[in-house]
Amino acid sequence: MKFIILVKATRDSEAGKMPTEALLAEMGGFHKEMAKAGILVDGNGLKPSNNGWRIKYAKGGKRTFVDGPFTESKELVAGYTIIDVKSREEALAWSKRFPNPSIDGGEGEIEVRPFFALEDFGDSPAVERMKESWKKE
């Protein structure tokens, strides 16, 4: 089962402040531990939202481009880690050990959510086409 650990953005991360050496070492050590356990799929920090954009979709196929930055940092993501574990309980155990991602060591927050697997959608022609399109040749 794959899970994503989302590191919520803070004012500091949105201001472009870089993590301290101590935080980088702690995160690096934890990611190395997950890699040794064979559960780490990927993990990285994200640049502030002023480097990004959003595409908003409306009925009728209309799309609107919105350039960053985005004002509500509580809803932004500053980084992520993807793990592949055997159960929700294992994901919970690892996430409880995740280092505080706050740049200043203050308040920080992570959110953990499971990925959908194609099997979650049941059998259908669309699911079968997706399985086929994802096969490596």
Side-chain angles (χ1 to χ4, degrees):
M1 301 177 71
K2 286 186 184 172
F3 287 81
I4 188 165
I5 301 168
L6 300 167
V7 175
K8 297 295 186 110
T10 63
R11 281 196 170 107
D12 284 343
S13 66
E14 275 298 290
K17 290 185 181 177
M18 297 301 284
T20 63
E21 284 296 315
L23 179 56
L24 287 172
E26 187 176 12
M27 283 291 189
F30 188 67
H31 279 76
K32 186 174 185 177
E33 191 178 338
M34 289 188 292
K36 282 184 179 179
I39 67 163
L40 182 65
V41 175
D42 191 23
N44 221 321
L46 301 173
K47 291 187 178 185
S49 68
N50 64 354
N51 290 271
W53 59 88
R54 290 179 176 165
I55 305 293
K56 292 188 176 190
Y57 298 86
K59 287 185 178 181
K62 183 176 178 173
R63 297 173 189 207
T64 306
F65 167 82
V66 181
D67 213 355
F70 311 116
T71 56
E72 186 55 54
S73 67
K74 289 169 76 175
E75 300 302 320
L76 298 176
V77 176
Y80 68 92
T81 299
I82 299 172
I83 57 176
D84 193 353
V85 294
K86 293 180 179 70
S87 66
R88 180 183 190 278
E89 292 73 23
E90 186 180 0
L92 180 60
W94 279 100
S95 64
K96 283 183 174 181
R97 297 181 45 226
F98 199 88
N100 178 354
S102 176
I103 292 170
D104 65 0
E107 291 185 14
E109 182 179 2
I110 64 171
E111 176 181 335
V112 182
R113 295 179 52 191
F115 280 79
F116 275 112
L118 282 178
E119 295 74 33
D120 294 330
F121 297 98
D123 290 330
S124 76
V127 169
E128 290 306 315
R129 283 191 300 276
M130 288 196 76
K131 286 179 183 178
E132 285 299 315
S133 70
W134 290 356
K135 285 184 180 176
K136 294 183 181 181
E137 294 181 27

